[in-house]
Amino acid sequence: MSNLEKTDIQRKRPPPVKVLSSQLRTAGARGDADCEEGCVIRPGRGRSLHVSLVWMQGTVLEVQLDRNTVLLMDETGTFTVQGVNSIPKGKPCLSPGKYVMVMGVIQAAYPEPVIRAVKMADLSELAALHRRMWKLEVEDLQQVLT
């Protein structure tokens, strides 16, 4: 694929959607386990939302730089982030206990969500506030989008 084609694809990709790991896991359990083209989450009764680029937040549980991955946990479960070695300014985020945000592309949803990182940021300084607000932010954005 040429750089021009990649740029066109990236431009067509919608902005990231804030999601919880359980929403991706549930989408995968319904049959969207391989979500490289995105998957459909169900944020509420009768509502559905196609997502491919996601924004997630969680606490770093385990870092495996030799495997280029980090294991995170949000309030609904764990998820894996791949490609962490190539994220600009991502290294400071890669310590167990840090509360971080990740923007990335869904690689898989089930049995555990896997995200290929595009961006990471350390939110540890105001972690208590970010944790309290995260689920509300997710619900609010998804309600607006559906």
Side-chain angles (χ1 to χ4, degrees):
M1 185 179 295
S2 74
N3 286 339
L4 182 57
E5 289 173 313
K6 287 180 184 175
T7 303
D8 287 344
I9 290 170
Q10 289 170 343
R11 268 189 230 144
K12 291 177 186 173
R13 192 180 297 275
V17 176
K18 295 176 180 182
V19 298
L20 300 170
S21 64
S22 62
Q23 292 177 303
L24 295 180
R25 199 172 293 105
T26 300
R30 285 192 317 268
D32 290 341
D34 179 14
C35 289
E36 286 195 39
E37 297 297 318
C39 56
V40 177
I41 62 169
R42 309 229 185 271
R45 290 186 197 142
R47 298 182 307 163
S48 62
L49 182 60
H50 183 268
V51 296
S52 58
L53 184 61
V54 295
W55 173 333
M56 300 177 77
Q57 291 181 188
T59 303
V60 176
L61 295 181
E62 183 179 329
V63 178
Q64 295 184 339
L65 293 179
D66 57 322
R67 295 183 63 201
N68 201 19
T69 64
V70 63
L71 180 66
L72 300 180
M73 182 175 69
D74 68 11
E75 64 186 72
T76 65
T78 59
F79 58 101
T80 298
V81 179
Q82 297 177 331
V84 294
N85 293 337
S86 59
I87 301 300
K89 299 182 183 178
K91 296 268 192 232
C93 301
L94 304 179
S95 299
K98 294 263 189 179
Y99 188 76
V100 300
M101 66 77 68
V102 178
M103 259 191 269
V105 180
I106 302 169
Q107 300 296 293
Y110 188 83
E112 178 174 85
V114 178
I115 309 302
R116 187 182 76 239
V118 173
K119 177 181 180 175
M120 288 184 79
D122 186 356
L123 303 177
S124 298
E125 190 173 319
L126 297 171
L129 174 65
H130 289 295
R131 278 190 187 99
R132 277 196 311 268
M133 296 300 296
W134 182 239
K135 191 170 184 183
L136 298 172
E137 289 179 37
V138 170
E139 290 171 0
D140 186 53
L141 177 64
Q142 290 178 6
Q143 189 171 30
V144 168
L145 293 175
T146 54

